[in-house]
Each structure stands twice: as C-alpha cells, then as structure tokens.
C-alpha cells in the first residue's frame, strides 16, 4: 500500500475527534497491517479489515465509513493512475479499442498482494475497458482506459469475479450521506439514551460519602481483630468499633424550565440512583423553573424550591435546617440557558443566578453544576458566565467524565482551570 | 496458515459428542456445543491472531460473544483444547491482579498460627512452569503466559477469554495494559525454589490470543480500546439461525421444521424491535430454549404450524411463549388477545418476506 495513501487515511482519522484512533500507535498499526500478507477480494473487504483495526464502537462505525468513502476515491484514483502509467510505459502510442475483460490477469498490480488490485466487476464493465495484447509475443498486458469515468459506488477492486453481495453497498449521490439507524437503540421506553448507565451513577454516588463513627462500639472490627491475633498469636476476643454512618447530605436541584423538558428523565435518574446506591437513601430532587425564585421577608432573603408537580414548596433554609452546613453538598442540574441560546434577558439571568449561587455557597460545603448541554453550546449564553463566576463552584457536562468530575467537586476536589 | 500461525477458519464442531468412556474422560477429551461463526467474525479473529492484538467483541446479549473463544480453542487444539483455553469471568469487584495471580493470605495466616514442633516454611513459592504453588495460584492470564513457555513450535498460542470486562471498575482495563503490552509481570510476594523473585513472562512468538467481551454497559478507557481490535457481532438472520439449529441435534424436528421455526423466530424478533416496548429483544438463547421445548413436545411432526393460518401460528407461538418472553412487555404482548393477533399478523408478513428473499433469483435473459 502506498505510503501517501496510508498517511491520507491517518490524517483523516486524526481530524475526526469522534474516533478513539488517531495517534501514532494507529499509524504504526496501519503500517504493520499493510506489511502483512493480507489479500482482499474487493474494497469492502479492505474496509472491513481497517474497521476492525481502527473502530472501537458501533457509534464510531458510521463516522469511519464516511471517512472510508472519501479515502476510497483516493485509492481508486491512485490505482487508475498506476494503470495509466503502466499503459504509457508498455504501449505509449497504441490505441485501446474496447475488448471484453479477460479474467485472471492483472499485471498492473505490484507484486505485493496487499495492494488493492484494480479490476472490473460485471456492473462496471460498461464503464471500463481493457485490452489484452498477445499477438506481438509480448507479456500479456491488461491496461485500463482512464478516459472512461468509473461509476461511483459500484466499482470493485477485484479480478476474482463478481463482488460478493454486500448489503451495505449502495450507490450514492455525491451530496448524500448514509446515516444508518443504530438498531441497538430503538427501545423508546428504556434509558439507553441516557449519557451514562444507572450502575455507573450508583458506583459514583457510593464514593461520595463522609463516614464518621457514631454511637456505641458495638460493630465487630474484623481488621483490628485479625491484627490483634497476628500480634499476640492467640484469639482472645473480637475487637469492636463504632457504627459508621454517612453524614453527608446530598441535595439535587433540578431545573424544570421548558428547555430542560427533554432531560427531565435523567434528572429523576440522578436522585433515584443516589438512593439505590444505599449511601444517600434520603436524597430526593427539588425543582425550580429556570432559576430558584427569591422571596424576601423581613428577616432575610430566601429561595423557594418545589416538588416534582409543584404542589409543595420549600425554602432552602428549611431544607438545610436539620443538617450541618459542613456536610451539605448540592448538585444543580440545569442547562443555565445553554440550550435556548442567546436571550435578551441573558445578563439579568446570569446576575440572578450568581446571587443565588452566592447564597447557596455560604450555606453548603460544596456545590457542583451539571449541564446537559455540551460545552461548545455554552458560548454566548449565561452558562459560560456562570461556569466561570465562582472559583469554588464548577460547571460540568453531563457525560461520563463530567459526572465523575462533578462528584469529585462535591468531595471538594475541584479541577484546576 | 499465515507466517506459521494456524488461523481460525470457523469450522463448526461435530454434532455428536464423544461417548463419555473412562478412557475419553481420562484423556480429557471434550467437544463444545456447535458454534457457527459469521465470515466477518472469522476474519476479525484472524486479524487478531496475525497482528497479535486482543479482540474486543460487543453485541446483543445472546449473540454468541462468549462462546466464540471456546470454538476457536477447539478448532486450534482439538478435543484437548481445555488445557490451552482459559476463561476469566469478570465480576463487579474483580481486580486486574486476580487475572495474574492470587495469594492465599488466609491459609498463610492460619498456618502461621499453628504452633507445632515442625518449623514451617511460610514463604510464597511458585516453581517454574507451575500454575499453583505454596500459598499462590496463577490467574487465567498468568496461566496462559506460563503455558507459552512449554508449547512446541508448531502449536498455536493459547486462548484467553476475558468475559464481560465492562462489569469491573473503570480502572480495571487500564490496570492490565502493561501486562498485555510487555507480556510479563512480577510476583513481588513470591520466590522460586532458589529464593529468587518470580517473574512470569510469555514467549513473544506465542503471545496468547485474547478475546474480550463487553456488554457495553460502561465505556471502556480509550487507552485500552486503542490496543484492541474491535468487532460488533450482528444478530444472525433467519438463514444463519437455521444453520445454527441444523448444527445441533433435534431428533424430533426435520430440517423443514427448523427452517420454518428460525424464520418465524426472526419475524417475531423484527416485530418486537419495531414495537419498541420491550426492554430486551429475543436472542439466540431464547431461540435455543424455544426449539428445545418444541423438540421435547413434538414427535416426528413434519409441520409445526400453517403460516397461511393466523390462528395456527398464534396458537403455536402462545403454547411455547414461556421460552420466548423474558420480560413483562413481551409477555404482555403475547398474552393480550388483540396485541398478540396484531403481532402475529405482522410476523407473518415478515415471514413471507424472508421466504421471498430466500427464493433463488431467476437467471437474467441471455
């Protein structure tokens, strides 16, 4: 395989951020692969082989196939150029009348079997021509008429006969892109579209805790007991410890604004998975609409939250009253205006949100913000402003990395900016 | 064979299992259940063998990810494949080290507490080319590494299956990277018979073929993914399902009955997918349970149902629905009178499409 073609493919992979492959390792792997003694009947087989090497998930397949469609054109152009070159070298002046394809001979190939040999299939016979010259006692030369344009999407690279029927092969217009339905995700009532699985959330919630010993020493401490036996050589009695209880109180505030309606199910999943982790059994969601509403009374400013169907309201101070402020952590799940985009009321909303966060940070140990909108959508919206407003509160994308980072932030481990 | 490597070709196993004579048992001869691998899957395994990289397999539950490794081992090693095949089933609390070695600390502590006149040697000892030593046993990957040192030149490398790797902690795959790259690990706690620290290394030319399965419940780290080849096992079509059924022994069912059942099964599967209410679609394991049930109840029946008669098909499906419906949505679909009739009607439509697709196409006019 031509080095330039390998480099072209590698460059296309690197440009595509949605693929895992794209490092030096992949380039060396491609070189190693083409150095091996593989042979391919047609381009589809080569594509499948490269897919096995470079694609790491079903979702990457579509992206990779679109890259391969472009790369195929380069491979075919290269193969055509090779034939033209060979034709000019062997028979520079001779015309090339159209003759039926003679199977079995493909001398334009390089000796290596791993270079895709260009040939014809029954479908493309109408668009390509060959000549086989034997009368002058020369070596049989099969030449390719580069003046005839090859039909896109139907050429195959094999002399071995008709290409094997391939259900994925289809004729495309230059402007068409195939987007195959991911058949693994056709269940509308499941949670497959969530950014992470429930089990992942539960595992991470379990790591968020502040275990302290409380009460009497009436729980067997196995480690101390074994340690005592190891020291003395004899088992006298069990060693006991106080019961360890998680003192951390997790609150989840969920935005019920219109832009968040598509994400409400995942918002419920956050609290449900926290309860099911068995570490935060009493965690529940509290809701607001775009922004918790302030309520000023004679004594102080308050913010109001609601239950899911807005039939009950709570002040934040009433929610926090039974908990030690050093053990209160709050996760806010809201787009912060990122989904709706630019709004004339942006500046007002950003300022009100900052006031609310200022209020919250004074009454809690840690606050983290989880945003269902991807980071590149935060530009020109209040989300970006809010994300950078406080050093002690960070905003994270709601994906599997962001969720871990958000939970770490609730543990007090903030990311360095 | 390529460059001296015996490649997997996807040959199905024989139907008849060897008789369990004392001699056969003693020889350790076994034949796994038949496994039909799709052509692309065979190719993917061959690439993994040739390039010496692990192959990561994903697919729907029941599509045959786990069984592939055993089939490959059987083809490469024959009836005694169990000695060259290692299975490591990952659990949610699995640690990477368990695949390399496990020290029996409890036994050691117990022995330490026993006071008798004999001076006990409490060292962790593992001798050369052994899987098990004093207070230590190699894990599946460790055994495979160890085995490579005693293989002859013509023997293929051993096969290791790491099953459901996504069950473990997210750091688990990365914890294996160094060992998979360097093919060696050191057991710090152990000594060989001469008092030296023990290192287990695999021969580079006999690098084990590692097949890894994942249910895609958790994302795997990119650093790990980049070291693996990847193949998604698509669910087989009706014709492939028919080949799978034919490769097994169903005494009471003719080939025609198996073909009809596989087509009906594929039709039902397509309808359940379209309905979109089930949490899990029916897969190969449900098919095999279903056919086994039908095989048990039918004695030399040529025709199981009349595809032209909706009631006949509905009756047939409902009789054995317990093997098919593994979740509430599918069960409700098949129990409810109106829904089930609707499902069967759609399934019959798809069945006819499958029959039409399988008909030989007329030769083009000269």
């Amino acid at each position: 395989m031509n080095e330039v073609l390998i480099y072209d493919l590698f460059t296309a992979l690197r440009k595509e951020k949605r693929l895992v492959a794209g490092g030096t390792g992949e380039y060396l792997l491609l070189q190693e692969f083409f150095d091996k003694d593989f042979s391919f009947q047609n381009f589809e087989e080569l594509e499948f082989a490269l897919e096995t090497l470079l694609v790491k998930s079903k979702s990457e397949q579509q992206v990779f196939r679109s890259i391969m469609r472009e790369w195929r054109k380069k491979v075919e152009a290269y193969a055509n150029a090779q034939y033209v070159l060979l034709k000019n070298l062997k028979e520079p002046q001779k015309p090339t009348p159209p003759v039926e394809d003679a199977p079995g001979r493909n001398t334009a190939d390089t000796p290596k079997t791993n270079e895709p040999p260009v040939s014809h299939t029954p479908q493309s016979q109408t668009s390509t021509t060959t000549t086989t010259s034997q009368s002058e006692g020369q070596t049989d030369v099969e030449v390719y008429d580069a003046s005839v344009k090859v039909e896109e999407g139907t050429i195959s690279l094999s002399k071995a006969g008709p290409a094997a029927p391939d259900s994925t092969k289809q004729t495309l217009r230059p402007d068409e892109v195939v987007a195959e339905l991911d058949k693994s995700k056709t269940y509308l009532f499941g949670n497959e579209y969530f950014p992470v699985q429930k089990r992942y959330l539960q595992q991470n919630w379990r790591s968020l805790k502040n275990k302290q010993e409380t009460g009497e020493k009436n729980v067997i401490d196995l480690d101390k007991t074994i340690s005592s036996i190891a020291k003395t050589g004899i088992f006298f009695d069990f060693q006991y410890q106080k019961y360890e209880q998680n003192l951390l109180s997790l609150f989840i505030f969920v935005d019920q604004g219109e832009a968040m309606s598509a994400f409400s199910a995942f918002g419920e999943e956050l609290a449900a998975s926290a309860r099911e982790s068995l570490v935060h059994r009493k965690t529940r969601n509290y809701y607001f609409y775009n922004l918790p509403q302030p309520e000023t009374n004679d004594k102080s400013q308050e913010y109001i939250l609601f239950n899911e169907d807005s039939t009950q309201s709570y002040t934040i101070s009433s929610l926090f009253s039974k908990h030690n402020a050093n053990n209160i952590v709050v996760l806010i799940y809201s787009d912060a205006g990122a989904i709706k985009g630019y709004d004339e009321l942006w500046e007002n909303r950003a300022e009100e949100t900052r006031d609310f966060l200022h209020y919250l940070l004074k009454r809690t140990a840690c606050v983290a913000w989880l945003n269902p909108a991807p980071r590149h959508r935060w530009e020109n919206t209040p989300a970006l402003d809010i994300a950078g407003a406080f050093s002690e509160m960070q905003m994270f994308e709601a994906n599997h990395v962001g969720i871990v980072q958000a939970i770490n932030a609730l543990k007090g481990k903030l990311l360095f900016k | 064979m390529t460059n001296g490597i015996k490649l997997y070709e996807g040959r199905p196993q024989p139907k008849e299992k060897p008789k369990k004579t004392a001699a056969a048992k003693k020889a350790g001869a076994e034949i796994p259940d038949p496994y039909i691998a799709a052509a692309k899957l065979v190719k993917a395994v061959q690439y993994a063998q040739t390039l010496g990289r692990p192959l990561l397999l994903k697919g729907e539950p029941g599509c045959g990810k786990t069984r592939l490794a055993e089939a490959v081992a059987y083809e490469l090693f024959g009836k005694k494949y169990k000695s060259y095949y290692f299975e490591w089933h990952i659990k949610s609390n699995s640690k990477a080290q368990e695949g390399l070695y496990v020290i029996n600390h409890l036994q050691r502590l117990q022995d330490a507490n026993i006071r008798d006149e004999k001076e006990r040697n409490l060292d962790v000892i593992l001798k050369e080319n052994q899987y098990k030593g004093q207070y230590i046993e190699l894990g599946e990957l460790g055994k495979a590494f160890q085995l490579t040192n005693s293989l002859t030149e013509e023997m293929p490398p051993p096969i290791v299956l790491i099953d459901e790797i996504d069950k473990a902690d997210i750091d688990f795959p990365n914890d294996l990277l160094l060992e998979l790259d360097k093919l060696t690990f050191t057991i710090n706690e152990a000594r060989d018979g001469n008092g030296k620290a023990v290192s287990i290394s695999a021969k580079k030319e006999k690098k084990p073929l590692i097949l890894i399965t994942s249910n895609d419940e958790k994302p795997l780290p990119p650093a790990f993914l980049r070291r693996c080849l990847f193949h998604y096992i698509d669910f087989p079509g009706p014709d492939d399902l028919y080949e799978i059924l034919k490769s097994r022994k169903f005494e009471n069912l003719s080939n025609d009955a198996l073909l009809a059942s596989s087509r009906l099964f594929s039709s039902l599967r397509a309808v359940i997918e379209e309905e979109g209410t089930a949490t899990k679609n029916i897969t190969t394991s449900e098919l095999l349970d279903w056919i086994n049930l039908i095989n048990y109840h039918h004695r030399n029946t040529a025709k199981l149902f009349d595809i032209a008669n909706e009631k006949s098909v509905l009756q047939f499906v409902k009789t054995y629905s317990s093997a098919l419906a593994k979740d509430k949505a599918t069960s409700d679909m098949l129990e409810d009178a109106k829904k089930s009739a609707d499902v069967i009607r759609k399934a019959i439509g798809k069945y006819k499409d499958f029959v039409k697709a399988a008909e030989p196409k007329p030769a083009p006019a000269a």
Side-chain angles (χ1 to χ4, degrees):
Chain A
M1 171 59 72
N2 182 268
E3 282 283 341
V4 172
L5 288 173
I6 298 176
Y7 185 74
D8 273 342
L9 177 59
F10 173 69
T11 312
L13 291 172
R14 276 194 66 77
K15 278 184 190 165
E16 183 46 71
K17 301 292 179 199
R18 286 172 287 177
L19 295 178
V20 171
T24 321
E26 278 73 36
Y27 186 74
L28 295 173
L29 177 63
L30 281 172
Q31 288 207 318
E32 186 190 345
F33 176 75
F34 286 115
D35 284 343
K36 297 279 182 188
D37 192 17
F38 291 117
S39 62
F40 304 101
Q41 298 300 313
N42 51 43
F43 189 86
E44 282 72 26
E45 282 193 12
L46 172 64
E47 185 181 7
F48 170 73
L50 292 175
E51 201 174 279
T52 308
L53 258 62
L54 300 167
V55 166
K56 304 302 172 189
S57 70
K58 199 122 168 67
S59 56
E60 286 187 9
Q61 265 178 357
Q62 300 311 317
V63 177
F64 182 77
R65 282 174 189 172
S66 66
I67 292 175
M68 287 306 283
R69 272 193 287 277
E70 292 304 312
W71 190 63
R72 180 174 183 164
K73 291 175 196 168
K74 291 179 184 171
V75 170
E76 287 166 0
Y78 169 75
N80 289 348
Q82 288 289 301
Y83 271 111
V84 167
L85 189 67
L86 194 65
K87 172 188 162 186
N88 289 338
L89 283 174
K90 294 281 181 181
E91 293 180 12
Q93 303 300 327
K94 201 163 185 175
T96 57
V99 172
E100 191 159 357
D101 181 20
R105 194 67 80 152
N106 197 350
T107 56
D109 269 353
T110 62
K112 281 187 188 172
T113 54
N114 55 9
E115 191 145 350
V118 173
S119 65
H120 322 285
T121 62
Q123 297 97 306
S124 57
Q125 266 186 350
T126 52
S127 60
T128 60
T129 58
T130 61
T131 49
T132 313
S133 160
Q134 290 192 3
S135 55
E136 292 159 4
Q138 293 172 351
T139 315
D140 283 348
V141 171
E142 190 168 280
V143 295
Y144 183 84
D145 185 358
S147 61
V148 179
K149 200 171 177 187
V150 176
E151 240 178 75
E152 190 149 312
T154 56
I155 197 170
S156 86
L157 300 180
S158 169
K159 277 300 286 180
D166 185 349
S167 61
T168 62
K169 202 159 66 160
Q170 50 197 307
T171 310
L172 299 171
R173 292 200 317 267
D175 59 333
E176 272 190 328
V177 173
V178 173
E180 282 184 20
L181 189 64
D182 184 351
K183 293 203 175 138
S184 65
K185 295 194 190 278
T186 54
Y187 298 109
L188 303 174
F189 299 97
N191 56 6
E192 288 85 6
Y193 67 93
F194 283 171
V196 294
Q197 295 284 336
K198 175 178 271 205
R199 198 198 298 185
Y200 185 81
L201 282 173
Q202 287 170 355
Q203 282 182 336
N204 282 289
W205 285 132
R206 268 185 222 123
S207 70
L208 176 67
K209 57 194 170 197
N210 178 13
K211 284 211 162 178
Q212 301 285 342
E213 291 180 344
T214 56
E216 296 288 324
K217 275 193 180 182
N218 52 10
V219 177
I220 293 176
D221 188 339
L222 210 55
D223 291 332
K224 273 192 185 164
T225 308
I226 291 171
S227 175
S228 162
I229 297 170
K231 280 182 192 165
T232 60
I234 304 173
F235 172 71
F236 281 115
D237 194 3
F238 286 107
Q239 304 294 313
Y240 292 90
Q241 62 183 358
K242 291 181 184 177
Y243 176 68
E244 271 195 348
Q245 195 180 354
N246 174 37
L247 299 178
L248 209 66
S249 304
L250 170 66
F251 290 86
I252 303 177
F253 296 167
V254 178
D255 184 355
Q256 271 187 326
E258 289 131 355
M260 286 289 292
S261 53
F263 307 102
S264 59
F266 186 69
E268 286 161 24
E269 183 83 341
L270 286 171
S273 57
R275 287 192 294 273
E276 287 163 16
S277 71
L278 305 181
V279 175
H280 306 282
R281 292 178 204 242
K282 294 181 183 170
T283 296
R284 41 180 291 207
N285 285 348
Y286 296 95
Y287 297 87
F288 57 90
Y289 189 84
N290 289 331
L291 187 63
Q293 292 307 306
E295 185 187 77
T296 309
N297 55 30
D298 292 336
K299 291 179 186 175
S300 60
Q301 189 174 41
E302 275 288 2
Y303 284 91
I304 308 295
L305 298 170
F306 299 92
N307 63 350
E308 193 177 354
D309 47 17
S310 302
T311 53
Q312 251 183 308
S313 63
Y314 313 88
T315 58
I316 287 184
S317 56
S318 69
L319 291 177
F320 291 173
S321 61
K322 291 179 186 170
H323 306 272
N324 184 329
N326 292 329
N327 281 328
I328 297 175
V329 295
V330 174
L331 180 71
I332 302 172
Y333 182 58
S334 168
D335 68 308
I339 290 167
K340 193 177 174 186
Y342 182 76
D343 193 319
E344 299 87 34
L345 302 172
W346 172 19
E347 287 195 17
N348 277 352
R349 181 164 166 179
E351 194 185 326
E352 285 167 2
T353 309
R354 279 198 297 272
D355 290 340
F356 165 68
L357 288 172
H358 189 69
Y359 170 92
L360 199 63
L361 284 165
K362 280 201 284 188
R363 289 161 176 76
T364 57
C366 297
V367 177
W369 193 301
L370 203 59
N371 195 326
R375 192 173 284 270
H376 66 265
R377 290 290 300 266
W378 301 358
E379 298 283 331
N380 295 324
T381 68
L384 193 65
D385 196 35
I386 294 163
F390 296 92
S391 56
E392 60 267 55
M393 193 229 60
Q394 289 177 339
M395 188 180 285
F396 305 96
E397 266 185 73
N399 56 23
H400 73 273
V401 172
I403 284 168
V404 171
Q405 288 173 340
I407 291 176
N408 283 341
L410 293 178
K411 293 178 197 171
K413 297 175 192 173
L414 296 170
L415 292 180
F416 285 109
K417 286 184 185 174
Chain B
M1 215 182 267
T2 298
N3 294 339
I5 304 170
K6 186 180 171 190
L7 295 179
Y8 173 61
E9 289 169 13
R11 288 194 297 269
Q13 298 82 6
K15 271 191 224 185
E16 296 284 348
K17 294 207 177 188
K19 289 180 188 149
K20 292 201 175 167
T21 60
K25 273 189 193 168
K26 196 179 173 187
E30 286 196 52
I31 299 179
D33 286 329
Y35 184 89
I36 310 283
K40 284 189 172 180
L41 179 57
V42 172
K43 274 284 176 195
V45 174
Q46 289 178 350
Y47 294 141
Q49 287 182 281
T50 316
L51 293 170
R53 297 230 168 181
L55 177 62
L56 175 64
L57 297 164
K58 290 187 183 177
E60 278 183 60
C63 68
K65 301 186 290 291
T66 304
R67 292 229 25 249
L68 170 69
E70 200 176 22
V72 172
Y74 177 75
E75 184 175 311
L76 297 181
F77 292 100
K79 292 177 187 171
K80 294 186 186 176
Y81 73 96
K82 287 272 185 185
S83 306
Y84 307 95
Y85 169 61
F86 304 95
E87 281 186 354
W88 184 13
H89 296 281
I90 305 300
K91 296 184 180 31
S92 58
N93 58 357
S94 292
K95 299 290 171 204
Q97 190 178 294
E98 289 165 12
L100 304 177
Y101 63 92
V102 176
I103 307 272
N104 193 347
H105 295 291
L106 269 176
Q107 183 64 47
R108 216 172 158 211
L109 179 62
Q110 236 175 352
D111 289 352
N113 275 326
I114 296 171
R115 290 176 185 268
D116 58 14
E117 284 168 16
K118 198 167 51 173
E119 194 170 312
R120 288 173 182 276
N121 179 1
L122 296 174
D123 288 341
V124 178
I125 297 174
L126 181 68
K127 291 191 180 153
E128 208 177 322
N129 292 330
Q130 295 291 315
Y131 291 163
K132 203 170 178 180
Q134 182 165 273
Y135 307 122
I136 183 172
E137 185 174 355
L138 290 180
E140 302 303 314
L141 201 55
K143 285 178 191 169
F145 281 14
Q146 188 81 296
L147 179 66
T148 59
N149 296 309
S150 51
L151 291 175
T152 57
E153 206 177 303
E154 56 275 3
M155 292 180 85
I159 317 289
V160 179
L161 167 68
I162 303 179
D163 196 26
E164 297 188 337
I165 196 169
D166 57 321
K167 262 195 197 164
D169 195 67
I170 197 159
D171 290 326
F172 177 94
N174 281 344
D175 288 344
L176 283 177
L177 285 179
L178 189 64
E179 286 77 17
L180 291 178
D181 275 348
K182 305 284 181 197
L183 300 178
T184 185
F185 60 92
T186 304
I187 306 174
N188 294 316
E189 301 94 323
R191 294 288 175 266
D192 62 13
N194 300 322
K196 288 185 190 166
V198 174
S199 274
I200 307 289
S201 303
K203 257 191 201 167
K204 210 173 175 184
E205 51 275 14
K206 295 289 179 194
K207 184 173 181 179
L209 172 63
I210 300 175
L211 298 173
I212 305 170
T213 71
S214 168
N215 286 323
D216 219 7
E217 286 184 4
K218 268 191 258 182
L220 296 172
F224 173 79
L225 289 174
R226 289 175 58 213
R227 281 163 171 79
C228 300
L229 306 189
F230 168 76
H231 184 74
Y232 187 89
I233 302 181
D234 289 313
F235 194 79
D239 297 329
D240 294 326
L241 288 177
Y242 171 54
E243 292 300 322
I244 291 171
L245 295 177
K246 261 200 324 181
S247 68
R248 292 170 179 250
K249 230 173 148 343
F250 297 104
E251 316 78 23
N252 299 324
L253 296 175
S254 65
N255 280 348
D256 286 341
L258 290 178
L259 180 61
S261 305
S262 64
R263 283 177 175 162
L264 182 59
F265 180 87
S266 295
S267 310
L268 287 169
R269 190 182 141 82
V271 172
I272 292 171
E273 189 166 318
E274 274 175 12
E275 294 291 310
T277 51
T279 52
K280 176 193 168 315
N281 206 340
I282 48 178
T283 60
T284 324
S285 65
E286 277 82 30
L287 171 67
L288 293 172
D289 289 343
W290 194 51
I291 297 295
N292 275 318
L293 203 56
I294 297 167
N295 183 55
Y296 180 79
H297 287 286
H298 281 258
R299 295 285 183 264
N300 299 320
T301 312
K303 206 171 179 184
L304 298 171
F305 53 86
D306 181 4
I307 196 63
N309 183 339
E310 266 185 38
K311 277 190 180 164
S312 159
V313 176
L314 181 61
Q315 178 64 28
F316 175 74
V317 169
K318 276 185 135 173
T319 307
Y320 306 108
S321 63
S322 56
L324 283 179
K326 298 281 177 70
D327 72 320
K328 194 169 182 312
T330 312
S331 178
D332 290 345
M333 207 189 302
L334 294 176
E335 290 300 314
D336 180 80
K338 194 178 168 204
K339 270 187 199 165
S340 57
D342 193 37
V343 163
I344 294 300
R345 199 170 305 117
K346 288 179 186 171
I348 289 173
K350 293 202 185 291
Y351 185 104
K352 288 176 180 166
D353 291 340
F354 288 138
V355 170
K356 205 171 175 183
E359 278 166 8
K361 290 181 178 50

